[in-house]
Amino acid sequence: MNIQEHYLTKYVDRLIDLAFDEDVATGDLATQYILPINNMATARFTAKASGVVSGLEIVKRVIDRMGDNEFTPLVNDGDEVERGQDLLIIRASYNNLLSCERIMLNFFQRMSGIATMTRSMVRRIEGTRATLLDTRKTVPGHRVTDKLAVRHGGGANHRMGLYDMAMLKDNHIKAAGGIIPAVKALKNKLSIATKIEVETTNLTQVEEALQAGADIIMLDNMSYEMMSKAVNLVNGRAKTEASGNVNIETIADVAATGVDFISVGALTHSVKALDISMNFSIED
């Protein structure tokens, strides 16, 4: 799935509106009384740790809200950077830079942290058939930016929400009376272009999902041995996705089972922000 431009326009701009509402609201009480509004300054963003950059486009959207500026990126989203490396220079009104400093850094640091973690995990599964996926375990409102950061880190996006792919979990299956009737009910209602994924926890359920015609079979919290057996059982008749408690230490072993996808919620729900500083030089 690609994050299309209309998503960025519709959702990210609304998210930035909320960021300004909660942080600036009626005005920056300290900044607006210190300097004349036309004083210019240059802000330099610098990585304080090594990592992967993500969020330059979002930072630009934030500063553009404040008026004219000179935006000069020194790297690209997805680039690996070292501690002490300059990432971005913005020349604008000092008042404007100060007023949206925290908003820019909040986006930039979080997205770069997600991209950095994603790249670390992608490296662990290089040479295997597995593709690293994110999940819906994102901060409310930040799903588009979180998933964009995963792509910058080299991962791929799972469904954006409940609306763009049908995933049958245990409660759906119980309510429908089993995997086969649950899948049948969806196939009777959905377009043939809509993917259907079924969550399974054992080989019997995997066989039922295959019989039902599932497009993707999630292997949830299975042992490595059971996952390998499930992959062999599926034998290319559907895609397989490993899920459940996957981390940087275990992901290589999971990939070795032969699964097509590995979904990791920690990419977005337990991210450590990349430390990025923003230092100013004021023009006379």
Side-chain angles (χ1 to χ4, degrees):
M1 179 188 64
N2 291 320
I3 298 177
Q4 302 293 338
E5 181 63 25
H6 74 273
Y7 276 110
L8 288 174
T9 300
K10 180 178 179 181
Y11 295 107
V12 174
D13 285 351
R14 187 166 63 182
L15 181 58
I16 291 171
D17 286 339
L18 291 173
F20 274 100
D21 286 346
E22 71 181 3
D23 201 41
V24 180
T26 57
D28 179 350
L29 295 180
T31 299
Q32 62 186 332
Y33 299 117
I34 298 297
L35 289 170
I37 195 168
N38 59 349
N39 270 53
M40 301 297 290
T42 298
R44 184 177 296 269
F45 294 73
T46 304
K48 306 302 287 183
S50 59
V52 178
V53 173
S54 178
L56 286 166
E57 179 179 357
I58 312 304
V59 172
K60 187 176 190 312
R61 286 173 180 263
V62 172
I63 191 61
D64 283 350
R65 294 291 184 90
M66 304 300 290
D68 293 339
N69 63 85
E70 296 175 12
F71 189 91
T72 308
L74 306 177
V75 295
N76 298 309
D77 284 328
D79 284 354
E80 295 188 20
V81 298
E82 299 296 327
R83 178 181 179 182
Q85 185 173 342
D86 289 335
L87 312 177
L88 169 66
I89 297 172
I90 303 175
R91 181 178 181 270
S93 160
Y94 191 34
N95 297 53
N96 290 346
L97 287 167
L98 286 174
S99 293
C100 66
E101 173 184 9
R102 178 44 50 196
I103 297 172
M104 290 190 291
L105 285 173
N106 282 348
F107 281 112
F108 206 10
Q109 290 177 322
R110 176 176 175 80
M111 292 181 68
S112 295
I114 292 171
T116 299
M117 172 60 78
T118 301
R119 184 67 52 83
S120 296
M121 287 200 166
V122 167
R123 286 252 163 82
R124 295 293 182 99
I125 60 175
E126 286 178 346
T128 71
R129 67 185 298 171
T131 297
L132 177 63
L133 298 178
D134 51 27
T135 70
R136 290 166 44 243
K137 296 176 182 177
T138 55
V139 172
H142 286 255
R143 182 160 298 168
V144 171
T145 52
D146 281 1
K147 285 180 171 285
L148 182 60
V150 168
R151 295 185 68 85
H152 289 154
N157 299 141
H158 207 293
R159 58 180 177 163
M160 183 62 69
L162 297 173
Y163 54 86
D164 58 345
M165 189 176 80
M167 182 183 292
L168 293 169
K169 296 192 175 185
D170 54 350
N171 289 325
H172 300 110
I173 293 166
K174 288 176 184 176
I179 290 175
I180 293 175
V183 173
K184 181 179 179 180
L186 289 181
K187 285 182 175 289
N188 286 338
K189 297 291 185 180
L190 297 177
S191 161
I192 60 172
T194 303
K195 298 293 185 182
I196 298 174
E197 180 167 2
V198 176
E199 180 184 85
T200 65
T201 59
N202 56 57
L203 296 180
T204 299
Q205 292 178 335
V206 171
E207 183 59 57
E208 289 176 358
L210 280 171
Q211 184 179 344
D215 300 293
I216 306 169
I217 300 174
M218 177 186 288
L219 312 178
D220 188 43
N221 283 297
M222 291 185 181
S223 67
Y224 302 142
E225 180 181 7
M226 186 179 292
M227 273 192 280
S228 294
K229 289 180 178 179
V231 170
N232 289 334
L233 177 61
V234 172
N235 193 29
R237 290 178 287 171
K239 296 293 185 182
T240 54
E241 175 190 335
S243 180
N245 298 311
V246 180
N247 58 50
I248 193 72
E249 302 301 328
T250 63
I251 192 168
D253 290 328
V254 173
T257 65
V259 292
D260 297 293
F261 303 111
I262 304 174
S263 55
V264 180
L267 292 178
T268 53
H269 74 58
S270 300
V271 63
K272 179 182 178 181
L274 184 68
D275 192 1
I276 298 172
S277 66
M278 181 178 170
N279 296 306
F280 298 91
S281 58
I282 309 171
E283 299 179 13
D284 295 331

